[in-house]
């Protein structure tokens, strides 16, 4: 199954994103989380790829397990930062042998504090080059890319960012999964600007429930997403009450998702953070 084939008129997908665990305890937890979330019959799940490609082996291991043991269609994240064309070609061949044909192609993040990223010799600088390379060497792969409703943090210029996004699509990208956002107006404006730019492929909104104030502050500082000030003030009031923070985050995520689905978004992609509890509560409150 290729992800692009899931997007049909009148059908809205549900998908999850996980990151590869680092310890045996975390592996056991992720196995449990996958088992608990499988009951929601996700259309696909994606597995992230660590900074500088550091989790490649674990990413591929979990992609294979998700496909074979859980029977869920996996999407593997693939980045080009710090990778050569030869190493990427080898990874594509490996994925093809595993019969995993869905990739989310990303540039990837440079090392923390390194603002002068230079691609390796015989490597790529931009995600569009990775997309083109994939489609040239394995045209059978379904390739998705990332979109940034508030603009990429390195530019914060949405017009320029959409120009780059269109270049990725012209290289062969078939659908878009957005970075997290907490105000649906950003998503609706993003979709509208994409249409004006001639981008007509599926755009899946990415949603991350707020379950930990410190965690979400760190993540938003890295990716550039913003939380409405009124909501942030409320979260600050709950800072010493983790249960209250989680309840607030779940309630707001339900409201956000309902608005997106009612507005005919093609689906919802949840950044699960390897937790099943909050996501289970959210989906249970949504009508698919």
């Amino acid at each position: 199954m290729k992800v692009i084939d899931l997007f049909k008129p009148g059908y809205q997908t549900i998908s999850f994103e996980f990151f590869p665990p680092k310890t045996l305890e975390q592996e056991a937890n992720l196995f449990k989380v996958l088992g608990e979330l499988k009951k929601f019959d996700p259309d696909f799940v994606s597995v992230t790829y660590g900074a500088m490609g550091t989790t490649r082996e674990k990413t591929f291991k979990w992609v294979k397990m998700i496909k074979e043991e859980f029977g869920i269609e996996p999407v593997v994240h693939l980045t080009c930062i710090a990778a050569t064309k030869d190493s990427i070609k080898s990874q594509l061949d490996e994925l093809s042998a595993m019969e995993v044909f869905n990739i989310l192609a990303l540039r990837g993040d440079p090392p923390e504090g390194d603002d002068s990223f230079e691609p390796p010799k015989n490597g790529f600088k931009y995600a569009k080059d990775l997309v083109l390379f994939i489609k040239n060497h394995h045209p059978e792969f379904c390739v998705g890319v990332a979109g940034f409703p508030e603009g990429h943090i390195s530019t914060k210029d949405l017009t320029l960012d959409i120009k780059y996004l269109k270049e990725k699509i012209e290289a062969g990208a078939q659908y878009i999964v957005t970075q997290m956002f907490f105000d649906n107006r950003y998503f609706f404006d993003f979709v509208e600007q994409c249409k004006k730019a001639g981008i007509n492929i599926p755009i899946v909104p990415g949603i991350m429930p707020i379950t930990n104030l410190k965690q979400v502050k760190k993540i938003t500082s890295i990716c550039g997403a913003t939380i409405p000030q009124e909501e942030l003030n409320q979260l600050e009031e709950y800072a010493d009450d983790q249960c209250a923070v989680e309840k607030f985050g779940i309630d707001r995520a339900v409201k956000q998702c309902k608005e997106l689905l009612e507005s005919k978004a093609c689906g919802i992609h949840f950044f699960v953070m390897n937790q099943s509890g909050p996501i289970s509560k959210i989906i249970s409150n949504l009508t698919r």
Side-chain angles (χ1 to χ4, degrees), residues 63-77:
V63 163
K64 184 177 171 71
M65 186 181 299
I66 287 167
K67 183 178 182 68
E68 295 181 353
E69 297 191 28
F70 289 91
I72 304 171
E73 195 62 41
V75 175
V76 62
H77 289 212

Side-chain angles (χ1 to χ4, degrees), residues 175-210:
Y175 68 97
I176 300 161
V177 177
T178 77
Q179 178 59 271
M180 68 189 71
F181 56 92
F182 299 94
D183 186 335
N184 286 347
R185 288 177 298 177
Y186 287 118
F187 177 76
F188 297 140
D189 289 347
F190 176 70
V191 171
E192 186 62 29
Q193 290 197 48
C194 282
K195 288 179 180 177
K196 289 180 179 178
I199 296 173
N200 297 303
I201 63 175
I203 302 176
V204 187
I207 300 297
M208 192 189 84
I210 298 172

Side-chain angles (χ1 to χ4, degrees), residues 94-158:
E94 184 179 349
L95 289 169
S96 182
M98 292 163 52
E99 298 187 348
V100 173
F101 299 115
N102 293 293
I103 291 176
L104 192 69
L106 308 161
R107 188 200 72 169
D109 298 322
E112 191 172 351
D114 184 357
D115 297 323
S116 56
F117 163 66
E118 288 295 330
K121 186 177 181 181
N122 197 34
F124 303 115
K125 188 169 185 177
Y126 300 113
K128 67 177 182 179
D129 302 317
L130 175 59
V131 173
L132 184 60
F133 185 83
I134 295 169
K135 298 303 281 189
N136 282 341
H137 285 80
H138 281 278
E140 74 276 15
F141 277 97
C142 173
V143 181
V145 291
F148 302 88
E150 297 179 62
H152 193 280
I153 192 169
S154 64
T155 64
K156 300 301 286 186
D157 182 335
L158 188 56

Side-chain angles (χ1 to χ4, degrees), residues 28-43:
N29 176 67
L30 181 52
F31 199 90
K32 179 182 177 183
V33 167
L34 280 162
E36 291 172 347
L37 292 181
K38 184 181 177 181
K39 67 184 179 183
F40 295 110
D41 193 24
D43 294 286

